[in-house]
Amino acid sequence: MGEMWAQTGSVIASVMFVAAIFQQYLPRQLRYPVERYTRKLVSFVYPYIQITFDEFTNDFRKQSEIYSTIQSYLSVKCSTRAKRLKAHDVKDSKSLVLGMDDNEEVTDEFQGVKLFWGLRKQPVNQTSFSLNPQADEKKHYRLTFHKRHRDIITRSYLDHVLKEGKAISVSNRQRKLYINNPAQNWHSYRGTKWSHVVFEHPATFETLAMDPKMKEEIISDLIKFSKGKTYYEKIGKAWKRGYLLYGPPGTGKTTMIAAMSNLMDYDVYDLELTTVKDNTELRKLLIDTPSKSIIVIEDIDCSLDLTGQRKKEKDEEDKEENKDPFRKMREDQEKTPSKVTLSGLLNFIDGIWSACGGERLIVFTTNYVEKLDPALIRRGRMDKHIELSYCCFEAFKVLAMNYLDLDSHELFETIARLLGETSMTPADVAENLMPKSVIQDAESCLKSLIEALEAAKEEARVKAEEEAKSKAEEEAKLKIEKEEKEKDQSAKVEEKCNGT
């Protein structure tokens, strides 16, 4: 058997040598038929099939996604099987990725079939001088397998490689925070609809200051959504879910979004509506948003004229314009060119275009939920409404553990009573708990919070008294005006009677 393979190898080498000679000296018109029959002869004695995966596409030498996926898949195989490794600083990866060195080979096995992966590098014919040596090289992965396993490889194995490679890429990648670019920049060289930075917000649901029952409810809802692909297909709905976060400023709406991202391992797409040209551009942004993402529109009531209260008092406008004749001109110049409408935004959320892609969360935040158009926040668009209100005692205990490493203290009882008697946001509570110097201890921070709560309570009391006094004065004024009006009417009636 060894002698037979040696003879076969010798024949193949001889054939390749003769083919090279013919290619060098034969006329061009004879090269094609010679190469054709040479390949047939080689395929007859060589029972292996090869598939190559180039590193770059023809789109401005953009790296192929398939090549990157294979690189991620082979990184696991190479770390245990390859003898020569190379560390790659892969874009968006948390750490270095180990891969095979140039011209190295590793084996893989799938359903009892043995395969060979190799990384090949060859120079590229350049017509001009290049200062970048890597630009003059062309790399590709080469998969080699026996021809009797063609069906298994093409129908099952390649899908397996891409699926596993994508899973490894997702587990290794860094989360990103995206912002949409103005539409006029999309047509520039290699212009993109979204720009991004690495998203490293440390917030988690464990550190989030809110009611524990509500927290568990939200976590359960998010996990159920992430596992609900089959369920959404069954009920005939797009795999997406809307969240409306509302409450006073400083109650943790933005922190909640960061905690969602860290729990789900989703990228965040911060959509700035004022830079979107029109409804068509809005749809294009949606299409360019991949799965496993959170689309966020913060302060939706302030983004555009999308609220239910769209009309202004014309008399007030006329008065202001008469005072300042250049006011309208300045406002026209400052007005956003965006033509996004409420109808366009509604279609963006749950229209037919929202089904392009899956596993997406859409999150709106607002400080004034009563200002929003009811059609915008109805169930089915914003499926879950989450009110983030003032700090309760349970939320305070989370903050005390985060900032002071305290789970109990004799002053907790006083703080619990004051939190029930006054309103203070978690942001204000956290600011008072944060040590202002290295020598300030936990008890001093708690006393500082108690003082702030008592001051807020007194301020609320004074404000309530002033409002009550103002209301009483207004009622008294209206009563006097009413009495005077009735007195005048009586006098007019009496005067009319006397005249008659």
Side-chain angles (χ1 to χ4, degrees), residues 67-203:
Y67 181 93
S68 301
T69 303
I70 293 173
Q71 185 180 53
S72 298
Y73 174 79
L74 292 178
S75 65
V76 178
K77 310 292 181 183
C78 295
S79 61
T80 58
R81 301 178 185 178
K83 295 181 179 179
R84 293 185 297 120
L85 300 172
K86 179 182 288 186
H88 300 277
D89 185 12
V90 178
K91 182 181 179 182
D92 302 328
S93 179
K94 296 178 182 177
S95 58
L96 291 176
V97 176
L98 294 178
M100 66 176 72
D101 201 357
D102 299 337
N103 301 315
E104 178 69 354
E105 189 174 85
V106 294
T107 59
D108 193 15
E109 189 171 335
F110 180 75
Q111 296 182 3
V113 177
K114 195 171 185 179
L115 312 101
F116 305 90
W117 282 98
L119 178 61
R120 301 290 181 261
K121 180 176 69 174
Q122 63 186 40
V124 178
N125 294 328
Q126 295 283 345
T127 57
S128 60
F129 176 73
S130 174
L131 296 176
N132 185 6
Q134 294 182 352
D136 300 336
E137 298 173 350
K138 183 178 180 181
K139 292 183 180 181
H140 64 264
Y141 283 109
R142 179 181 295 172
L143 173 62
T144 305
F145 55 92
H146 200 282
K147 62 182 179 182
R148 66 170 172 264
H149 303 307
R150 177 193 291 266
D151 290 343
I152 295 177
I153 302 305
T154 56
R155 295 180 182 179
S156 303
Y157 177 69
L158 292 179
D159 289 340
H160 164 75
V161 170
L162 295 179
K163 182 179 179 180
E164 292 294 321
K166 288 179 180 178
I168 295 171
S169 298
V170 169
S171 64
N172 290 335
R173 72 180 177 86
Q174 290 179 309
R175 279 184 298 279
K176 295 177 287 261
L177 173 62
Y178 290 82
I179 183 68
N180 54 300
N181 295 322
Q184 59 267 26
N185 294 341
W186 295 1
H187 306 292
S188 60
Y189 175 70
R190 300 188 71 174
T192 58
K193 298 178 180 63
W194 298 94
S195 299
H196 72 270
V197 294
V198 175
F199 188 52
E200 296 179 328
H201 201 294

Side-chain angles (χ1 to χ4, degrees), residues 252-350:
K253 295 182 286 295
T254 302
T255 308
M256 169 72 76
I257 295 170
M260 287 180 172
S261 174
N262 288 329
L263 174 68
M264 306 287 281
D265 200 21
Y266 286 4
D267 292 331
V268 178
Y269 286 76
D270 186 11
L271 179 58
E272 178 55 57
L273 286 178
T274 57
T275 64
V276 182
K277 182 180 178 182
D278 51 29
N279 295 335
T280 301
E281 303 296 353
L282 186 62
R283 287 194 293 269
K284 290 180 181 179
L285 286 167
L286 175 65
I287 294 171
D288 207 44
T289 306
S291 59
K292 294 185 180 296
S293 58
I294 303 175
I295 303 173
V296 178
I297 303 180
E298 292 198 272
D299 298 322
I300 181 67
D301 54 298
C302 303
S303 296
L304 287 175
D305 190 14
L306 301 172
T307 63
Q309 302 172 357
R310 301 181 182 88
K311 296 181 180 180
K312 298 180 179 179
E313 294 293 337
K314 186 168 178 59
D315 293 340
E316 293 295 329
E317 290 185 355
D318 292 341
K319 289 180 181 179
E320 293 295 330
E321 189 173 346
N322 291 333
K323 292 179 182 178
D324 185 359
F326 297 101
R327 176 175 174 270
K328 182 173 176 50
M329 183 183 300
R330 287 198 305 272
E331 286 184 350
D332 290 340
Q333 292 175 350
E334 293 172 359
K335 276 183 180 178
T336 174
S338 177
K339 296 181 180 179
V340 175
T341 63
L342 177 61
S343 174
L345 185 60
L346 297 181
N347 288 328
F348 173 86
I349 299 170
D350 68 346

Side-chain angles (χ1 to χ4, degrees), residues 347-360:
N347 288 328
F348 173 86
I349 299 170
D350 68 346
I352 192 169
W353 289 96
S354 65
C356 299
E359 198 173 359
R360 287 186 290 210

Side-chain angles (χ1 to χ4, degrees), residues 483-500:
E483 291 175 352
E484 291 180 351
K485 187 176 180 181
E486 291 176 351
K487 186 177 180 180
D488 290 342
Q489 289 178 349
S490 299
K492 288 180 180 179
V493 171
E494 185 179 353
E495 182 179 353
K496 187 176 181 181
C497 292
N498 292 334
T500 303

